[in-house]
């Protein structure tokens, strides 16, 4: 509702006295953990203090932690990766890995590594994979819910294509569609994409443009509020989501 001059003065006095005063938008964001896209316009980056430019110290430390943790996790998962690779070959043949071009930091294109969980990618079908998609392999029905199919992406983190935490790295083909249909979608590429992220743990797998629009609200919240504390919360929620499957 509109704020009158008298009310505005009282709110200003409260703010100056040390009381935290929230706008309706800021309160909604803090409660729901996502941004209202209807409020995003050309001036939003400046007016809403969107942290598109992260501090050099934060970036440097996060890159060190990302690569260090990726190396440790790759070594820990190596025996399991060998078992999964053997299972894929025995049950469904070659290839073991699936490579796909994804869009990363500031639009840079890279190839993401995943364990192959689809029977035949040459078969025509939807660009999205549903829960009961017939193209998913027998082993893939276990790997996908447990997120184990994404373990090879630790290599992408190690070489600097991705971060452990950030917005999902989307398929280049779909990015072009999203940028045409969703205003300001390209802003999510101002941070390095992540193996997991705020949108991934708060919203189920997207199956259409509307799902992508909803997930973008969570991505913007992360970009605006990124911190090591929020990253830690995402790690905990990721573990919970995986174990709850």
């Amino acid at each position: 509702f509109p704020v009158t001059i008298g009310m505005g003065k009282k709110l200003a006095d409260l703010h100056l006295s040390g009381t935290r005063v929230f706008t309706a938008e800021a309160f909604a964001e803090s409660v729901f953990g996502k941004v209202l896209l209807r409020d995003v316009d050309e001036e939003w980056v400046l007016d809403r203090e969107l942290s598109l430019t992260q501090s050099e110290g934060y970036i440097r430390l996060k890159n060190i932690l990302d690569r260090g943790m990726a190396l440790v996790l790759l070594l820990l998962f190596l025996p399991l990766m060998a078992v999964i690779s053997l299972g894929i070959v025995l049950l469904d043949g070659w290839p073991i890995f699936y490579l796909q071009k994804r869009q990363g930091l500031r639009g840079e294109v890279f190839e993401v590594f995943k364990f192959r969980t689809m029977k035949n990618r040459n078969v025509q079908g939807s660009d999205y994979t549903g829960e009961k998609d017939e193209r998913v392999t027998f082993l893939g029905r276990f790997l996908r819910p447990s997120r184990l199919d994404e373990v090879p992406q630790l290599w992408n983190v190690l070489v600097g294509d991705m971060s452990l935490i950030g917005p999902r790295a989307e398929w280049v083909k779909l990015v072009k569609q999203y940028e045409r249909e969703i205003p300001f979608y390209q802003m999510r590429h101002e941070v390095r994409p992540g193996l997991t992220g705020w949108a991934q743990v708060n919203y189920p797998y997207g199956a259409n443009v509307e799902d992508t629009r909803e997930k973008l609200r969570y991505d913007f919240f992360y970009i605006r509020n990124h911190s090591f504390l929020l990253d830690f919360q995402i790690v905990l929620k990721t573990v919970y989501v995986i174990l709850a499957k």
Side-chain angles (χ1 to χ4, degrees):
F1 54 87
V3 177
T4 63
I5 295 177
M7 185 184 298
K9 185 177 183 306
K10 290 180 180 180
L11 291 174
D13 290 340
L14 284 172
H15 179 66
L16 293 174
S17 68
T19 303
R20 297 188 67 183
V21 178
F22 295 90
T23 64
E25 177 202 3
F27 177 74
E29 286 184 23
S30 66
V31 172
F32 298 108
K34 56 186 178 181
V35 167
L36 302 178
L37 290 185
R38 62 178 174 78
D39 293 323
V40 178
D41 56 26
E42 288 82 357
E43 298 180 356
W44 188 71
V45 175
L46 297 177
D47 292 345
R48 304 304 183 191
E49 300 177 353
L50 185 66
S51 299
L52 289 177
T53 54
Q54 303 171 329
S55 68
E56 287 297 323
Y58 175 87
I59 294 174
R60 191 176 298 110
L61 181 55
K62 186 171 183 179
N63 285 342
I64 292 173
L65 291 174
D66 279 339
R67 296 189 180 195
M69 287 298 298
L71 179 59
V72 171
L73 291 172
L74 274 172
L75 293 175
L76 289 175
F77 277 110
L78 199 56
L80 179 59
M81 292 175 67
V83 172
I84 292 174
S85 299
L86 180 61
I88 292 173
V89 172
L90 293 177
L91 295 176
D92 203 55
W94 298 89
I96 295 172
F97 298 106
Y98 170 65
L99 277 66
Q100 188 181 72
K101 292 188 181 298
R102 300 286 181 94
Q103 197 152 326
L105 181 65
R106 294 186 175 87
E108 180 182 351
V109 176
F110 66 96
E111 284 192 319
V112 72
F113 289 82
K114 298 181 67 175
F115 281 121
R116 183 173 62 87
T117 58
M118 305 291 280
K119 294 177 181 177
N120 188 345
R121 276 290 182 176
N122 294 321
V123 174
Q124 294 297 317
S126 171
D127 290 332
Y128 303 95
T129 306
E131 292 185 1
K132 298 181 179 180
D133 198 311
E134 295 182 354
R135 295 172 296 172
V136 177
T137 64
F138 174 78
L139 191 57
R141 298 194 182 282
F142 166 74
L143 295 177
R144 295 175 72 92
S146 64
R147 307 284 182 91
L148 289 174
D149 63 317
E150 298 185 358
V151 169
Q153 290 181 45
L154 288 168
W155 173 257
N156 292 108
V157 177
L158 186 62
V159 299
D161 294 328
M162 296 174 61
S163 170
L164 288 175
I165 298 171
R168 174 184 168 84
E170 290 289 359
W171 187 13
V172 171
K173 175 182 177 180
L174 294 178
V175 168
K176 293 179 180 179
Q177 175 189 357
Y178 297 153
E179 289 183 345
R180 288 194 303 268
E181 300 186 25
I182 305 175
F184 308 102
Y185 180 83
Q186 69 278 6
M187 282 166 46
R188 72 192 295 277
H189 298 131
E190 293 301 317
V191 297
R192 203 177 301 278
L195 190 58
T196 185
W198 190 241
Q200 293 94 303
V201 298
N202 281 287
Y203 197 82
Y205 186 82
N208 50 53
V209 174
E210 286 308 310
D211 284 342
T212 302
R213 196 187 306 272
E214 184 66 16
K215 294 186 75 170
L216 183 62
R217 299 170 67 182
Y218 290 101
D219 286 335
F220 279 173
F221 179 88
Y222 176 77
I223 294 171
R224 179 175 175 177
N225 299 282
H226 65 266
S227 68
F228 287 117
L229 178 59
L230 182 56
D231 287 347
F232 182 64
Q233 293 177 18
I234 292 170
V235 170
L236 293 180
K237 292 197 72 169
T238 300
V239 173
Y240 172 79
V241 169
I242 292 175
L243 294 179
K245 289 292 185 179

